Amino acid sequence: MSEFIRTNGLKKIYHVGDQRVEALKGVDLEIAQGDFVVFMGHSGSGKTTLVSTIGGLTRPTEGTVLIEGKNIWKLNDSQLSNFRNRKIGFMFQSFSLLPTLNVLNNVVMPAIFNSNSRKKDTDALKSKAISLLTDLDMKSKVNSFPSELSGGEQRRVAIARALINDPEIILADEPTGELDIRTEKEVIEICCQINNVYKKTLIVVSHSLTWLEKAKTTIVMKDGFIYKDLADPVQAIMNGVCK
Amino acid sequence: MIISLFRLAYQNLQVKHLRFYIILISVSIVIGALFASSLLILGIQHSLDEGLSKLGADLLVIPKDSLVAMKSALLTGEPSAFYMDSGVLAKIRALKGVKRVSGQIFLTSATGECCVMGNSFLIGFDPTDDFTVMPWVDKKADSAFPADGAIIGAMSPWEIGDIVKFYGIPLTVWGKLERTGIGLYDNAIFFNIQKAYEMSDYSQSDKSIKPLAPLRGKISGGLVQLEVGAKIPFITFSILKENPELKAVTTGNIATSARQTTVAVFSGIIALIVVLVLSNILMINAIYSAVVNERKRELGIIRAIGATRPDIFKLIIYEALLTSVMSGFVGMLIGGGLLKIFQRSIVFYLRLLNIPFILPPVEIIGLMAGGAILIALLMGISGSAYPALVAVRIDPHETMKQGL
Ligand SMILES: Nc1ncnc2c1ncn2[C@@H]1O[C@H](COP(=O)(O)OP(=O)(O)OP(=O)(O)O)[C@@H](O)[C@H]1O
Ligand SMILES: [Mg+2]
C-alpha cells in the first residue's frame, strides 16, 4: 500500500469571541490507499476537525494536507470544489439528503457539479445510480422522497450518492450515529464492501466500538493529538484514552 | 429526467412554500399593473401616430405664439382659434422643395344655435389645394363635393344628408371621415373655406350671437408637403427666414410632444409602479435572505459535494428568477385580461376625456409582453442578488458543526 494521504504539522485554531480553541495541535498522519481507518476519541478531541481538513472542507490554520502528493489547501475555490467532487465521497451523519429531490436525483446530484459528467449522457448516469441503489437494496425506493425513508434507508441513499462520482476516498463522520444496533451493523457491512469490493479508502469517525471489528487501522485522538498504532485500541479506550 | 442546477432550483419551488405564493401574488400585481398601463399609454400614442401619419403633411405652419394651443387641439380636440394672413401660403408654395401647401381655418362653433351640439370644431379648407381631408373620406354621398358640403369627423353625431347650420350658414353633410384617433379631426366639421368667411360676415351682422373675428383673407395654419428628397430643416429654415411671425413644426415633433403629454397624464401611475417595483425588490431580498439562512446546512452540504461558489450563486438566482418570471406571466395574464374585460368602459372613459385609444398592433403588444417579463426577471435578479452573495460565502465547513 503506497502513501496516499499525508498531513504534516496540521493545526487548527478556532476563534470564538476572544476565546482561542486549539482543535488540532500538530497532527502528522499517513493513510495508505485502500485502508479502512476509524477515528475514535472523546468528544471535542478534534476528530471532525481533522477529517474535514483532509476532506477539503475546513481550512487548517497551519500545516499541510497532501493527497497523492498534492497540497489541497493550495488550490483555489473552484479547484478545491472540483477535488471534493471527484476525489471524495462524503457520508454525512443525518438529514443530509435534499428533501425536495427524490432518491434517484439525490444520488445523481454530485454529478451536476462534475464537469466531466455534465457532458456525459444522462442515461449512463441514471443507470449507474440505479445499479448502485440496487447493490444497496434500495431499487424499489428510487422514486421515493427522503421523508418517506427510514434512517437506515436514508443512510444507504447517502452512501450511493457518495459513490456516484467514483471517488477514491470515502469520508464519514459518525455515519451510524442515531441508528439502532442492527441497522448500524448493516451500514458497517456496506462500508466493508465499499472498502473490499469497490477498493475505496475509507475514513470513518465513530464513537461506536462495533466499527473496530472491521477497521484495518484504528486511530485514537485526544486533545488535538493522535495516538497511532495502539497495540489494543479497545483496551486503550477502556483505560480512558477516549470516552 | 436527470437533475441539473436549474432543475434543482425548480425542485425547490415545487415545495410551494408560503413565501413562493407571496412573491407570486405581489410580483404578478406589479407586472399586471405595469403591462396594463403601458398598453394604455402605448395605445393612446399609437392612435396619435396613426392619425398624424394620415395627415400626409410633413410640416405644419402656424402663427408663432399658437403652438401650445395647436398641440392641445391635436391631443384633446379642444377647439382653439388663431389666425394669420393667407398670403403666406403663396410665399411658402413658391419655395424650392415644397410640393403642396393647403390652408385651413379653425373656428369654434357658437353654442345655443339650432342643431349645434357641444363644441364642434369647425375647419374651413380649400378643396382646390387640399391633400389632407379628402383622402380620408370614408363614406360619402354619390354627388361631387358641393359648395355648401360638409365633411364630418368619425365621432360626429350626424349622418350623410343631414343639414347643419353654423353662424347662419346651412351646410349639407356630404361625407364622413375615417377614424383618425386625433380628437381634433374626429370631432371636426370640414367645409369650404369660403363658407367660413361667410360665417364670419354673418356673425358680424347678427347681434344675437357672439361675433367671430373678421376672417376674410386669414387662415389658421398651412399644411405643407415636401418634394421627395427635400430636407425638412432646410425648408423650415427658409420658411422662417421669410416669415418670422410663423412657426413651422414637423408632424413627428407634434407626435413626440403629444407623447410627452400622455406620459405626463399617466405619470402618477408610472410613479406608483416604480415604487411598487422597488418595494417588491426589497421584499424578494428579505424573503431570500430568510431562505438562505434557513438552508445554510443544505447549502453547506451542496458545497461539500462539489458545488463551486458560482454554482451556489446561480442556484439562488435561478430560484428567484423562476418565481419572478412565473409571476410575470401570471401578472400579464391578469393585466391583459382585466384590460380586455374592461376595454369597452376604458375606451368609453378615455373618449369622454377626448383621448383617442386604439390597441397597438400585435408586434408591439408582443414586445411589451417581452419587456414585462424582462422587468419581472430583473426584479428577481436584483432582489435575490444580495442573498445569493451571502449564500456564496457559506463555508462548506458549516456542515461540520453538527457532524458531517
Ligand atoms: N466551528 C467551530 N468554531 C469554534 N470551535 C469549534 C468549531 N468546530 C469545533 N470547534 C471546537 O474544536 C474542538 C474540536 O471539535 P471537533 O468537532 O473536531 O471534535 P470531535 O472530536 O469531532 O467531537 P465529537 O465527538 O463531539 O464530534 C472542540 O473544542 C470544539 O468546541
Ligand atoms: Mg465530531
Side-chain angles (χ1 to χ4, degrees):
Chain A
M1 287 198 276
S2 59
E3 178 182 300
F4 187 48
I5 300 169
R6 182 189 189 92
T7 72
N8 292 317
L10 208 57
K11 288 188 184 174
K12 177 69 189 180
I13 298 161
Y14 292 111
H15 294 274
V16 185
D18 5 307
Q19 240 188 319
R20 231 173 86 98
V21 181
E22 236 179 310
L24 298 177
K25 296 174 177 166
V27 175
D28 298 313
L29 179 70
E30 282 157 42
I31 296 172
Q33 186 154 28
D35 203 352
F36 180 173
V37 186
V38 173
F39 283 89
M40 306 205 91
H42 63 73
S43 190
S45 58
K47 303 179 298 292
T48 297
T49 306
L50 177 59
V51 166
S52 66
T53 51
I54 293 172
L57 297 174
T58 301
R59 182 177 289 278
T61 313
E62 227 177 87
T64 54
V65 176
L66 303 175
I67 294 186
E68 291 180 317
K70 210 190 305 165
N71 185 350
I72 63 164
W73 288 105
K74 280 262 157 72
L75 302 174
N76 66 26
D77 177 69
S78 99
Q79 290 168 326
L80 189 60
S81 300
N82 204 23
F83 158 80
R84 285 196 299 265
N85 184 255
R86 304 219 191 145
K87 279 275 181 203
I88 300 189
F90 291 95
M91 275 165 65
F92 302 89
Q93 188 173 5
S94 57
F95 312 117
S96 77
L97 302 177
L98 299 196
T100 56
L101 301 181
N102 67 17
V103 165
L104 180 66
N105 282 334
N106 259 293
V107 173
V108 298
M109 201 192 42
I112 304 174
F113 307 112
N114 184 335
S115 48
N116 279 345
S117 60
R118 265 180 219 189
K119 284 171 232 129
K120 211 158 76 179
D121 75 312
T122 53
D123 283 347
L125 198 60
K126 196 170 161 181
S127 51
K128 185 173 176 189
I130 290 173
S131 116
L132 279 171
L133 286 166
T134 309
D135 288 355
L136 291 162
D137 212 8
M138 287 293 292
K139 192 173 194 278
S140 59
K141 305 279 183 168
V142 163
N143 293 313
S144 303
F145 282 84
S147 57
E148 298 158 1
L149 302 178
S150 72
E153 288 169 333
Q154 288 192 25
R155 228 48 66 91
R156 288 178 206 208
V157 176
I159 292 170
R161 181 177 67 183
L163 292 171
I164 191 77
N165 275 342
D166 229 340
E168 288 167 68
I169 304 162
I170 302 288
L171 281 186
D173 191 2
E174 301 184 37
T176 52
E178 299 162 22
L179 292 183
D180 60 75
I181 286 285
R182 221 194 68 166
T183 321
E184 176 178 45
K185 285 204 159 146
E186 278 173 24
V187 173
I188 293 174
E189 194 46 52
I190 292 166
C191 286
C192 278
Q193 300 273 321
I194 292 171
N195 182 238
N196 288 331
V197 181
Y198 292 96
K199 303 289 178 210
K200 308 292 182 197
T201 305
L202 212 65
I203 299 173
V204 177
V205 173
S206 183
H207 288 292
S208 169
L209 296 176
T210 324
W211 285 91
L212 296 187
E213 297 165 18
K214 302 285 182 180
K216 289 178 182 162
T217 309
T218 304
I219 299 174
V220 176
M221 287 198 77
K222 193 183 180 193
D223 295 334
F225 289 113
I226 59 167
Y227 293 76
K228 276 181 291 187
D229 310 320
L230 290 173
D232 187 353
V234 179
Q235 200 52 49
I237 290 159
M238 296 306 179
N239 291 343
V241 174
C242 27
K243 79 171 181 194
Chain B
M1 185 189 155
I2 290 286
I3 195 86
S4 67
L5 198 56
F6 193 72
R7 190 163 166 86
L8 191 59
Y10 177 70
Q11 293 280 2
N12 282 333
L13 291 183
Q14 293 295 88
V15 183
K16 295 220 177 72
H17 213 280
L18 177 66
R19 59 183 169 236
F20 168 77
Y21 290 107
I22 292 176
I23 296 180
L24 186 80
I25 292 167
S26 186
V27 173
S28 60
I29 288 172
V30 179
I31 296 299
L34 184 76
F35 186 62
S37 54
S38 48
L39 257 181
L40 268 180
I41 293 173
L42 274 188
I44 292 166
Q45 296 180 348
H46 172 69
S47 61
L48 279 170
D49 282 350
E50 282 274 278
L52 284 168
S53 73
K54 279 186 191 165
L55 208 60
D58 300 307
L59 286 174
L60 188 64
V61 180
I62 49 176
K64 201 175 192 170
D65 47 6
S66 52
L67 185 62
V68 177
M70 182 67 208
K71 280 180 186 168
S72 88
L74 278 169
L75 184 66
T76 65
E78 190 177 305
S80 60
F82 38 82
Y83 305 105
M84 59 189 188
D85 199 60
S86 65
V88 296
L89 289 181
K91 286 207 265 176
I92 293 169
R93 201 173 281 130
L95 288 173
K96 197 163 168 284
V98 171
K99 188 177 174 197
R100 294 193 276 199
V101 182
S102 171
Q104 292 188 351
I105 193 159
F106 303 155
L107 286 69
T108 50
S109 71
T111 44
E113 259 186 300
C114 164
C115 313
V116 176
M117 297 166 76
N119 264 3
S120 292
F121 204 162
L122 308 181
I123 303 177
F125 71 105
D126 186 350
T128 56
D129 63 17
D130 170 68
F131 62 94
T132 70
V133 181
M134 285 300 186
W136 308 355
V137 174
D138 183 30
K139 286 180 279 183
K140 59 177 170 46
D142 293 333
S143 58
F145 186 61
D148 71 338
I151 296 167
I152 56 175
M155 311 291 289
S156 295
W158 299 291
E159 292 304 325
I160 290 163
D162 285 355
I163 308 267
V164 291
K165 196 172 168 192
F166 298 101
Y167 297 100
I169 310 295
L171 300 167
T172 310
V173 176
W174 172 82
K176 195 163 189 166
L177 296 178
E178 239 175 83
R179 257 207 83 185
T180 63
I182 299 181
L184 170 66
Y185 292 109
D186 285 346
N187 292 303
I189 297 163
F190 294 86
F191 43 80
N192 195 312
I193 198 162
Q194 292 309 322
K195 292 287 169 193
Y197 298 148
E198 288 173 27
M199 285 178 196
S200 128
D201 295 345
Y202 180 87
S203 75
Q204 312 291 329
S205 61
D206 187 338
K207 298 284 172 270
S208 69
I209 47 175
K210 195 169 158 245
L212 291 166
L215 293 181
R216 289 213 178 258
K218 302 275 181 200
I219 54 165
S220 294
L223 293 151
V224 183
Q225 194 177 47
L226 304 184
E227 298 279 6
V228 179
K231 298 269 180 295
I232 292 182
F234 181 74
I235 306 280
T236 308
F237 179 75
S238 26
I239 291 174
L240 297 187
K241 203 178 81 185
E242 290 192 29
N243 310 283
E245 75 284 9
L246 298 185
K247 178 100 192 163
V249 276
T250 60
T251 42
N253 202 327
I254 296 173
T256 308
S257 69
R259 194 166 287 136
Q260 285 158 357
T261 315
T262 9
V263 170
V265 168
F266 282 89
S267 60
I269 295 174
I270 293 169
L272 186 68
I273 289 171
V274 169
V275 169
L276 280 176
V277 166
L278 292 178
S279 63
N280 268 268
I281 289 173
L282 288 179
M283 179 201 68
I284 294 173
N285 184 7
I287 288 179
Y288 270 87
S289 295
V291 167
V292 165
N293 199 37
E294 196 177 289
R295 286 211 212 124
K296 253 189 172 150
R297 182 173 151 76
E298 192 182 311
L299 291 169
I301 288 170
I302 296 174
R303 279 284 273 149
I305 278 172
T308 60
R309 291 199 176 109
D311 287 334
I312 297 291
F313 187 78
K314 280 188 236 162
L315 186 66
I316 303 289
I317 293 278
Y318 283 167
E319 194 180 316
L321 218 139
L322 272 170
T323 315
S324 58
V325 168
M326 264 187 238
S327 316
F329 275 108
V330 172
M332 249 164 39
L333 287 181
I334 295 172
L338 285 179
L339 201 66
K340 183 89 197 142
I341 292 167
F342 294 109
Q343 190 177 2
R344 278 172 169 277
S345 34
I346 289 169
V347 169
F348 177 76
Y349 178 70
L350 286 174
R351 277 195 194 154
L352 282 186
L353 295 173
N354 258 320
I355 297 176
F357 177 79
I358 303 170
L359 216 56
V362 189
E363 311 89 82
I364 302 282
I365 295 178
L367 228 88
M368 284 168 55
I373 296 296
L374 193 76
I375 287 174
L377 201 136
L378 289 176
M379 281 167 72
I381 292 179
S382 44
S384 59
Y386 182 71
L389 283 175
V390 170
V392 158
R393 269 182 253 130
I394 291 175
D395 208 80
H397 171 69
E398 206 69 41
T399 44
M400 308 304 294
K401 282 187 180 157
Q402 301 118 317
L404 267 170

